Amino acid sequence: MPRHLATLFALLAAAIAISCSGNRIITNPLMTDKGEILPVADPCVSMFEGNYYLSASTDTGLVSYRSADLQTWECLGPIAVFPEDDPLKTCIWASEVHLINGRYYLTYSGWNPATGTLDTNLGVGDSPCGPFTLIATPLIHLEGKNAIDANIFIDDDGSAYLYFSENAASPEFPAGYGALRQARLTADLTRIDGPIMPVNEEYADWELKSVPRNVRCNEGPTVFKYEGTYYMTYSANETHMGDYGVGVQTAPSPLGPWTKADYNPILYTSDADGMSPGGLPAVSSPGHNSVIFNEKGAPEWIIYHRHAPEVSSFPSNDRVTCINRMWIDGEGRVVTDFDGKAY
């Protein structure tokens, strides 16, 4: 992705701290070990063997990074899914890597040239950065529709669940829609076990700001369990435009019923810090997050992308990766230290 004025923005980003945990100070946007802004989208971060590993989307495919402190990231190279000469290697994004039963499982959204749809595929490997062997291609295929942004959740009893976004146009929504779906997975994770069900068909006003270009859109789900309650973070509106944001919904079981929080959104476009050098609100369209947990299993950080500072018009794919503290308060609400400012 093009990154103009990267050095200037890196210096500005490094000047102001946003979050700290013990002696750890994090600044936004996140940086590479070469002193450049981390130019990736759809970040999924987990800790494996004492380091944080990030899988993310770029214009040229999936990429893996590693960090000891969440602030500075070392690029480990492309995530190997296709052979080097396969043209489909650039038509993939929204990856997640999870350690399940001693092996690393990769989900990603990819173009299926045989059907003209975007499907969700599954791979497995022995390292969080690959290579991965594809074992379910597709894991999800919807006739005439796209199945993207998959998230696997393993419950305390070992049962597996899958969450994703169904994207398509329809007579009711000719401009397109995105709706969250959920299903059980088989024990080996390679097949849907039972029906695919809606997550929540209710849409709050803040989730409909992409109208009419994209009538409604929920995507990028991440599910976790904390103190007996199931939480799902999700993104709404359209990532390429100016009103993308993150909301929360909760449920008493992994398949719902899901209730969207009345305090949504928890991440949102904001000009509280003025305008960016590109002329947009300094925080533009934060979304497609993952959640990072502490050693006790409690949520500690929310990591997400937002538009790069030099973006001046929409639609735009130029995004950078940011992070904020996140926790669950005494009333079970998801709280972050995000205040709408760019630092």
Side-chain angles (χ1 to χ4, degrees), residues 155-286:
D155 207 351
D156 297 337
D157 63 0
S159 56
Y161 300 87
L162 185 74
Y163 307 86
F164 66 95
S165 180
E166 173 187 305
N167 283 197
S170 69
E172 184 182 3
F173 301 107
Y177 70 88
L180 294 178
R181 301 291 185 243
Q182 58 188 351
R184 297 178 186 271
L185 284 175
T186 56
D188 65 1
L189 309 180
T190 62
R191 299 183 309 281
I192 299 294
D193 184 14
I196 295 174
M197 298 168 281
V199 169
N200 191 330
E201 294 294 288
E202 297 181 0
Y203 291 79
D205 289 345
W206 76 270
E207 301 175 42
L208 300 174
K209 292 185 177 181
S210 289
V211 175
R213 189 175 190 273
N214 192 322
V215 172
R216 62 179 193 180
C217 188
N218 281 180
E219 61 183 21
T222 292
V223 172
F224 63 94
K225 185 179 183 180
Y226 183 71
E227 294 188 346
T229 296
Y230 296 85
Y231 290 82
M232 177 188 293
T233 59
Y234 65 95
S235 297
N237 297 304
E238 188 176 2
T239 185
H240 308 97
M241 306 304 284
D243 294 301
Y244 208 46
V246 172
V248 177
Q249 50 191 330
T250 58
S253 83
L255 294 178
W258 293 94
T259 301
K260 291 182 175 178
D262 60 8
Y263 53 85
N264 285 334
I266 61 171
L267 303 179
Y268 48 86
T269 291
S270 172
D271 61 1
D273 224 18
M275 308 302 283
S276 73
L280 302 179
V283 174
S284 176
S285 288

Side-chain angles (χ1 to χ4, degrees), residues 9-335:
F9 297 131
L11 292 173
L12 291 173
I16 308 176
I18 62 140
S19 300
C20 60
S21 178
N23 294 324
R24 185 170 14 160
I25 296 176
I26 308 292
T27 61
N28 277 331
L30 301 181
M31 309 294 293
T32 72
D33 58 350
K34 300 184 183 303
E36 301 170 343
I37 290 177
L38 186 60
V40 299
D42 310 331
C44 177
V45 174
S46 295
M47 175 173 276
F48 305 123
E49 300 177 348
N51 283 297
Y52 297 98
Y53 285 83
L54 179 151
S55 62
S57 306
T58 73
D59 286 344
T60 57
L62 306 179
V63 67
S64 181
Y65 284 81
R66 179 174 57 201
S67 175
D69 60 5
L70 290 175
Q71 175 69 80
T72 304
W73 294 86
E74 172 195 5
C75 184
L76 303 177
I79 295 177
V81 176
F82 296 108
E84 183 62 28
D85 59 351
D86 193 322
L88 289 181
K89 73 175 186 176
T90 63
C91 300
I92 56 180
W93 62 89
S95 59
E96 293 195 0
V97 176
H98 297 283
L99 180 61
I100 302 171
N101 296 328
R103 302 203 74 190
Y104 296 94
Y105 286 84
L106 167 78
T107 56
Y108 67 90
S109 309
W111 177 250
N112 185 336
T115 62
T117 58
L118 295 168
D119 295 342
T120 288
N121 299 315
L122 178 71
V124 65
D126 297 312
S127 165
C129 51
F132 293 94
T133 300
L134 297 179
I135 57 175
T137 55
L139 176 59
I140 319 167
H141 170 74
L142 303 177
E143 191 66 32
K145 301 176 181 179
N146 301 318
I148 65 170
D149 296 357
N151 172 248
I152 292 176
F153 168 72
I154 307 297
D155 207 351
D156 297 337
D157 63 0
S159 56
Y161 300 87
L162 185 74
Y163 307 86
F164 66 95
S165 180
E166 173 187 305
N167 283 197
S170 69
E172 184 182 3
F173 301 107
Y177 70 88
L180 294 178
R181 301 291 185 243
Q182 58 188 351
R184 297 178 186 271
L185 284 175
T186 56
D188 65 1
L189 309 180
T190 62
R191 299 183 309 281
I192 299 294
D193 184 14
I196 295 174
M197 298 168 281
V199 169
N200 191 330
E201 294 294 288
E202 297 181 0
Y203 291 79
D205 289 345
W206 76 270
E207 301 175 42
L208 300 174
K209 292 185 177 181
S210 289
V211 175
R213 189 175 190 273
N214 192 322
V215 172
R216 62 179 193 180
C217 188
N218 281 180
E219 61 183 21
T222 292
V223 172
F224 63 94
K225 185 179 183 180
Y226 183 71
E227 294 188 346
T229 296
Y230 296 85
Y231 290 82
M232 177 188 293
T233 59
Y234 65 95
S235 297
N237 297 304
E238 188 176 2
T239 185
H240 308 97
M241 306 304 284
D243 294 301
Y244 208 46
V246 172
V248 177
Q249 50 191 330
T250 58
S253 83
L255 294 178
W258 293 94
T259 301
K260 291 182 175 178
D262 60 8
Y263 53 85
N264 285 334
I266 61 171
L267 303 179
Y268 48 86
T269 291
S270 172
D271 61 1
D273 224 18
M275 308 302 283
S276 73
L280 302 179
V283 174
S284 176
S285 288
H288 200 124
N289 70 282
S290 64
V291 177
I292 304 170
F293 302 89
N294 64 21
E295 64 279 359
K296 296 181 180 179
E300 187 173 27
W301 303 92
I302 183 168
I303 187 167
Y304 56 94
H305 68 235
R306 72 185 192 210
H307 284 131
E310 66 268 23
V311 169
S312 60
S313 63
F314 301 127
S316 176
N317 268 326
D318 284 351
R319 290 164 290 184
V320 296
T321 301
C322 300
I323 194 169
N324 280 89
R325 288 293 307 276
M326 172 179 163
W327 64 96
I328 309 295
D329 71 11
E331 298 181 353
R333 296 161 55 102
V334 173
V335 182

